[in-house]
Amino acid sequence: MTPAAQSVLAVADWRRKTAAIYAQVRSAAAEDPAAAHALWVRARDEMFASHPASALGPEAKAEFTGLDVAPYDPAYRFEVEVQDAPEGRMDVATGTDGVVPFERVGLLELDGLGTLSLWALRSYGGGIFVPLKDSSAGQDGGTYGGGRYLLDTIKGADLGQGSGGRLVVDLNFAYNPSCAYDPAWACPLAPPDNTLAVPLPVGERAPSKELVAEL
């Protein structure tokens, strides 16, 4: 098998496993969101440590003892109605996929924290996309400077819907994009519409320098 085929199949398996993890998370969270979060942390640690499509290189894997994820805090779990939003478009240039178009389709109002835009991927496959950035981004002990992802359904990151069709927005599940670990990846980052003016003490923290590949 060629290296190109191996790479494509590895990424496909990563997405398959990610979708399976989130299916378990949605099921477990119906009864115990904290237990669902613990499951998510364990499963992602296992994938980062051993999967061929992990964003970690061989040296980083040798140093890896687990992702830096804050303890679960139920105060950061929301079920929100999607509010109407003004039209908006976000075109993201990537190194491998060309220009990826997103359309703003709604707003998510988070009590006491601010508002996030809900984006729809307007290319093959579609999907919901909710990146976010908080005021601790890029600060010592804070979150990744480029922001994090919360929902990215085309890649399986889907927390589901609650009662009345409300969208589950649990910030404890915010995670770093691949480019946080390896700058060779090109990732859509959080735009101003998805930037909160408050710190978020939950979710995955910025990676340690030992886990970040050099260009």
Side-chain angles (χ1 to χ4, degrees):
M1 186 184 300
T2 66
Q6 290 177 340
S7 176
V8 168
L9 291 176
V11 171
D13 187 66
W14 177 278
R15 294 187 178 183
R16 190 180 302 121
K17 285 182 168 58
T18 297
I21 291 167
Y22 275 87
Q24 295 177 61
V25 163
R26 291 190 298 272
S27 178
E31 299 294 333
D32 190 341
H37 183 257
L39 179 158
W40 177 76
V41 171
R42 290 193 304 270
R44 293 185 72 239
D45 279 350
E46 291 173 2
M47 288 179 65
F48 267 74
S50 61
H51 198 282
S54 169
L56 301 182
E59 292 184 4
K61 285 182 177 179
E63 300 284 341
F64 184 69
T65 58
L67 299 170
D68 185 2
V69 181
Y72 190 83
D73 186 339
Y76 290 88
R77 179 181 171 88
F78 302 87
E79 291 186 9
V80 299
E81 293 184 359
V82 178
Q83 306 293 329
D84 292 341
E87 292 184 359
R89 185 176 174 90
M90 177 170 62
D91 293 319
V92 179
T94 69
T96 56
D97 299 322
V99 176
V100 179
F102 294 90
E103 178 185 352
R104 183 168 51 217
V105 294
L107 295 175
L108 307 174
E109 296 182 4
L110 308 181
D111 187 31
L113 299 178
T115 302
L116 298 173
S117 287
L118 176 67
W119 299 92
L121 176 60
R122 293 308 194 197
S123 60
Y124 181 74
I128 292 171
F129 181 53
V130 181
L132 70 144
K133 188 175 181 179
D134 68 274
S135 66
S136 75
Q139 304 298 317
D140 289 343
T143 56
Y144 174 57
R148 297 176 288 174
Y149 293 173
L150 180 62
L151 304 177
D152 190 5
T153 62
I154 196 171
K155 296 180 180 177
D158 178 8
L159 297 174
Q161 292 179 240
S163 59
R166 292 178 174 86
L167 198 63
V168 175
V169 179
D170 192 334
L171 302 176
N172 291 278
F173 290 86
Y175 66 94
N176 293 330
S178 297
C179 54
Y181 297 97
D182 188 343
W185 291 81
C187 304
L189 300 179
D193 286 348
N194 289 72
T195 300
L196 301 176
V198 296
L200 295 178
V202 292
E204 187 178 352
R205 317 304 295 168
S208 65
K209 63 180 181 180
E210 290 80 12
L211 298 183
V212 179
E214 296 183 0
L215 283 174

